[in-house]
Amino acid sequence: MTNIKDIIDDSCKSVAVAGHANPDGDCIGSCTALYMYLRKNFPEISVSLYLERPKEALCSVKGMSEAEQEVKEGAACDLFICCDTSIPDRIGVAGDLFRSAAKTVCIDHHVSNPGFADINHIVPDASSCAEVLAELFDYEKTDRDIAESLFTGIVHDCGVFQYRNTKPATMRTAAALMEKGIDSAEIIDATFNRRTFVQNRITGYALSRASLHLDGRCVSAVITAEDMERFGAGLKDLDIIVSDLRQTEGVLAAVFLYQTGENEYKISLRSNTGVNVSDVAARFGGGGHILAAGATVEGTPEQILPAILACIEEQL
Ligand SMILES: [Mn+2]
């Protein structure tokens, strides 16, 4: 596929756009951008957008107000496009619709994506799914609102051009989007930099209790359900902890565990260099990117952490 129009033929009357569960900035930016682009440029097609409610800062992204949080009974579509989703199990609210769709397309940048849809357009070199989409859109058909969503997706996945997934092409794409007249500084501040008081407190707590392992080459922190309750925090308040851990001097990999069930933890992994955390996550049934990955595992931190450290040590 070289252009989004390649997947839309005359028989296509209805399209569903969806992302992954617990959507992040790239997922929200990509899905809303694709939704708005299809609405604007293919007015004869009915387009629906399915997204879980993200953290507050992302709710104001254009197009989010039209996102549906559940699939209505009897809903069907000719074409289902999922963005930024590496495995079908992670398709959020619209999983059933994916399974019943006549044709499915996956647009993504996760290196671990096996290509689970009928048509797969996966660019592991891209910083973000939004960067992949920008290349599939006609520039002159990309308006300011669409550019805002794409820019949001890009800056969230590359940490405002800080992470190693930032390539010259990422900067060129972002620059072209800025030419559309978006308020880039406001997007970055409002959706990426701004932290709630609760987020700051629980991040500070996690960092103050972090531990070093493997001669200081690995750092870990754990947040339990009890911790979250004590701080009045939800899962959405934890997303900056692992990137803060990664910035520790001398550290090659950061491991953050947070409780998601009675005996279940989500592992969030980040790497600076020398460790492929996508491979580590895959050993626990998860996936992601070389420098950022995750998995959900059963057990206690005392059981899970040594197993992850052993996998990381193999790579050092
Ligand atoms: Mn992404």
Side-chain angles (χ1 to χ4, degrees), residues 28 36 46 59 66 84 86 193 220 237-238 250 301 307 311:
I28 295 292
M36 291 188 287
S46 118
C59 288
E66 283 151 73
D84 199 39
S86 59
N193 291 338
S220 77
D237 297 312
L238 307 178
C311 288

Side-chain angles (χ1 to χ4, degrees), residues 18-19 23 27-28 31-32 49-53 64 67-69 93:
C27 179
I28 295 292
C31 291
T32 54
L49 174 64
Y50 296 98
L51 282 167
E52 273 175 27
R53 211 180 140 75
M64 264 317 284
E68 298 174 54
Q69 271 83 51
V93 289

